[in-house]
Amino acid sequence: MNIIILSSGEYGSRIVNTIASKGFAKDIVGLYEFSEDLPEFLDDVEDHIPNNIPEADLLISVGLFGDINMVIPTIAEISGVQSVIVPIHNPQQIPSGLKNEIENSIESARIIFPKPFCSLTFQDDLYIDEFVEVFGKPELEIQANTQIKQVKVIRGAPCGSTWYLAEHLVGIPSIEAEFEAGNKFHNYPCLASMNVDPLLGDTIMHLAGYKTKEAVKRALGYSLKSAAVDNEICLGGEDCDYLCLKACPNVKAGDNTIFIKEDKKAEIDPASCGICEICIKECPYGAIEVFEEKIILKSKK
């Protein structure tokens, strides 16, 4: 697979370095860096199109803000790529109107906008899925008894935080791993925005942190803290239209964190619950509370 990467700023540099260091260096046939100082609105984006663009299969654009993102369709066309990944790490990065313009200008390639990059999962797309074999929503294997003995990264966040986490979790008590994962995630640190994304109702950094902690919980097979629905109190959408489901940032980002059971009652997946408590505030019947107890996780669907 041949990859072209468009990059800008510290976030872009970190992604490029991780992709190169974790096995895709030989696949990068074009790397183009754009200044962070470019204005949000550009008179002529064509002035910024690189020369000598090679043929490629996958285009990844990381860290570009504003109109400069309109180089993506042109570079995609010249290079003949079949797939395009444009991760969002800041709410101001690509406004919805610009996103629609980019999508409408891409004629022969599939384009996706994972928010955050570490939410990326398999897309039934040849080149994106080859990338997701290594990078995307974190997945771990953990060997542990009372302490964490070994952590293996099956799939890591493209920023590199998952490998940092794997190294620094070894030796800590297993019952602390779920919570310590959040600390290590911030120590790395994550470069996603702490501004609330109006489409998610939460910050993109928080979403990335939820994905990190989920990987640890799933690898251990249990969660020690989660929001949960009281099935006796939940009225199954009556007079609430499942406000918990509609408000959950993880659901908005594509996860199945809150789902509706056959009895029409809501249920929360403790593995992916980020304990943001937004659903608690939205439930008109007070049917959701945070519980601190060991919950054995069901096999991932």
Side-chain angles (χ1 to χ4, degrees):
M1 177 170 66
N2 292 329
I3 302 173
I4 289 176
I5 302 180
L6 316 181
S7 169
S8 182
E10 182 182 3
Y11 175 81
S13 295
R14 179 180 283 183
I15 298 295
V16 170
N17 290 336
T18 304
I19 291 174
S21 66
K22 298 301 179 182
F24 280 102
K26 61 179 177 55
D27 299 296
I28 301 174
V29 296
L31 173 59
Y32 305 102
E33 297 186 5
F34 297 83
S35 172
E36 289 183 276
D37 298 327
L38 289 172
E40 180 180 0
F41 303 104
L42 297 172
D43 292 330
D44 193 348
V45 174
E46 296 297 319
D47 292 341
H48 300 274
I49 301 297
N51 296 320
N52 302 317
I53 297 172
E55 292 185 0
D57 305 303
L58 175 66
L59 171 64
I60 302 173
S61 177
V62 284
L64 279 63
F65 276 76
D67 281 357
I68 190 60
N69 282 283
M70 283 305 299
V71 302
I72 294 170
T74 301
I75 295 175
E77 181 180 358
I78 295 173
S79 63
V81 298
Q82 297 298 305
S83 310
V84 181
I85 304 174
V86 186
I88 306 296
H89 74 286
N90 188 302
Q92 284 74 50
Q93 186 180 342
I94 304 179
S96 57
L98 178 59
K99 177 176 176 288
N100 291 336
E101 188 175 358
I102 294 170
E103 289 178 309
N104 292 334
S105 299
I106 297 270
E107 296 183 356
S108 58
R110 182 180 180 188
I111 184 168
I112 60 171
F113 297 83
K115 184 196 297 186
F117 206 170
C118 53
S119 69
L120 179 62
T121 56
F122 291 108
Q123 301 292 314
D124 195 24
D125 178 281
L126 176 62
Y127 300 113
I128 294 175
D129 289 354
E130 184 174 343
F131 183 80
V132 175
E133 290 288 347
V134 181
F135 296 109
K137 186 175 180 180
E139 183 178 346
L140 300 170
E141 283 185 2
I142 295 179
Q143 295 181 14
N145 41 43
T146 57
Q147 287 189 323
I148 302 297
K149 299 297 184 182
Q150 183 178 356
V151 183
K152 179 181 178 181
V153 178
I154 305 301
R155 180 184 307 108
C159 69
S161 62
T162 314
W163 286 272
Y164 176 89
L165 179 78
E167 178 182 352
H168 288 82
L169 282 183
V170 174
I172 72 167
S174 298
I175 61 172
E176 296 179 11
E178 174 182 336
F179 310 107
E180 191 60 27
N183 294 331
K184 300 305 181 187
F185 169 81
H186 287 289
N187 291 343
Y188 181 60
C190 176
L191 296 179
S193 172
M194 271 298 291
N195 295 323
V196 173
D197 186 306
L199 298 179
L200 297 175
D202 203 344
T203 74
I204 298 176
M205 178 184 282
H206 284 165
L207 266 291
Y210 303 157
K211 303 295 179 288
T212 294
K213 290 176 32 173
E214 178 183 351
V216 173
K217 290 187 281 186
R218 290 199 184 280
L220 289 172
Y222 60 82
S223 172
L224 295 174
K225 186 176 182 180
S226 176
V229 178
D230 187 322
N231 206 57
E232 297 299 320
I233 299 176
C234 176
L235 296 184
E238 183 178 332
D239 295 327
C240 79
D241 198 24
Y242 298 114
L243 297 180
C244 57
L245 179 69
K246 293 182 177 181
C248 176
N250 270 333
V251 171
K252 292 178 180 179
D255 276 348
N256 199 31
T257 302
I258 300 180
F259 55 96
I260 308 305
K261 301 180 296 179
E262 290 185 1
D263 63 2
K264 297 185 179 180
K265 304 292 183 77
E267 186 168 332
I268 298 174
D269 175 15
S272 61
C273 176
I275 321 171
C276 65
E277 301 189 15
I278 292 174
C279 60
I280 295 176
K281 299 172 185 175
E282 290 294 328
C283 179
Y285 303 110
I288 307 174
E289 296 182 30
V290 172
F291 290 89
E292 295 190 43
E293 58 185 39
K294 188 172 185 178
I295 305 169
I296 303 302
L297 302 178
K298 300 175 182 177
S299 298
K300 188 176 180 182
K301 297 178 181 180

